[in-house]
Amino acid sequence: MNGLFESLISKYDSLISLFSYEELLIVKVFFLAIVLVVISVFIWQFYKSTSKRNIIDFNLKQYNRLEHSLANKFLAVVLYMLEYIIIMPFLLLLWFGGLSIVLLLIAEERSAPEILLIAAALIGAIRILAYYRNEISKDIAKLFPLIALAIFLMSPDAFDFDNVLRKLSEIPLLLNNVAYFVIVIFAIEIVMRVFYMIYEFGSSEDGRKDRN
């Protein structure tokens, strides 16, 4: 993998030698604009998804058409487990991996393990706040990556394509330890979901008592 990125850097250096200074500025502006668009779209999708209490909108319960009470409850449990035990870890892995790559590109002087730690802590905090105050989770999910991006643009390495390629070469280092952090984030999600269900159950019971 490192050999591939070293080859890309070499080809890039050969390519830019063909351009004049003015032409090279135009190329850099175009390249930086594309990078900003991709990262900004990712941040927007990231905050829209992870800041919601219910990340999954599939609503598999709609496929539960059983009329028998016991069978209905059993299938409801199966569908719920399918959503939050199988689909949820995949979504968390997707967003965690994407955020880690984005932070790797825009964070200065941070190693791969530090990037993973920051990304895991950020997603964990967002998921906890999503159950407490949705507005706060939205602000953190949106503002933290945008502020990091703004700081990156003010750094000298923002216009260094060689540096971007070298950072991309570190992606395999991220993948080595991703599973451990995803497990931690998923454990946080399960704990928050259980507490939320207990709270909802308690609220519904109080509501019934008040009506009676």
Side-chain angles (χ1 to χ4, degrees):
M1 184 65 73
N2 289 335
L4 173 62
F5 284 103
E6 289 297 330
S7 175
L8 287 175
I9 293 173
S10 176
K11 289 180 181 179
Y12 169 76
D13 291 337
S14 300
L15 181 63
I16 62 174
S17 64
L18 302 176
F19 294 96
S20 64
Y21 177 76
E22 291 78 11
E23 292 171 335
L24 188 58
L25 284 179
I26 295 174
V27 172
K28 286 186 174 182
V29 168
F30 178 76
F31 170 76
L32 189 59
I34 296 299
V35 171
L36 285 175
V37 168
V38 172
I39 293 179
S40 298
V41 169
F42 171 83
I43 292 173
W44 183 77
Q45 293 288 349
F46 171 78
Y47 109 82
K48 292 285 286 185
S49 176
T50 57
S51 61
K52 296 188 298 183
R53 180 183 297 136
N54 297 315
I55 295 180
I56 303 174
D57 293 326
F58 295 151
N59 191 21
L60 297 180
K61 294 179 182 178
Q62 63 182 309
Y63 301 108
N64 186 357
R65 305 182 189 280
L66 297 178
E67 297 182 359
H68 191 276
S69 177
L70 183 60
N72 184 287
K73 291 181 179 179
F74 175 76
L75 184 57
V77 171
V78 171
L79 293 176
Y80 185 85
M81 295 287 287
L82 178 62
E83 285 187 355
Y84 282 94
I85 302 300
I86 298 178
I87 301 175
M88 179 65 78
F90 173 76
L91 292 177
L92 291 175
L93 177 62
L94 177 66
W95 288 121
F96 177 64
L99 180 63
S100 297
I101 292 174
V102 169
L103 292 179
L104 178 67
L105 292 175
I106 65 179
E108 292 298 319
E109 299 179 358
R110 292 291 183 180
S111 63
E114 290 175 329
I115 293 294
L116 290 174
L117 180 62
I118 293 171
L122 179 61
I123 294 179
I126 292 170
R127 294 310 302 147
I128 292 173
L129 290 170
Y131 287 91
Y132 175 65
R133 285 288 186 273
N134 183 251
E135 294 79 7
I136 304 177
S137 66
K138 283 183 178 180
D139 288 341
I140 292 182
K142 178 171 54 177
L143 293 178
F144 183 90
L146 287 177
I147 291 172
L149 178 60
I151 294 173
F152 166 71
L153 290 175
M154 295 298 103
S155 68
D157 291 335
F159 305 96
D160 187 353
F161 187 67
D162 287 4
N163 183 61
V164 172
L165 287 177
R166 289 190 182 92
K167 287 188 173 183
L168 287 175
S169 68
E170 296 179 23
I171 290 178
L173 297 177
L174 294 176
L175 300 178
N176 292 336
N177 300 312
V178 162
Y180 301 104
F181 290 97
V182 171
I183 291 173
V184 173
I185 298 171
F186 185 50
I188 292 174
E189 181 69 28
I190 290 177
V191 171
M192 295 306 300
R193 175 62 58 172
V194 169
F195 277 114
Y196 177 72
M197 290 175 64
I198 294 173
Y199 170 78
E200 286 288 292
F201 180 77
S203 299
S204 62
E205 287 295 318
D206 291 340
R208 290 196 191 99
K209 290 179 181 178
D210 292 339
R211 287 194 296 270
N212 293 334

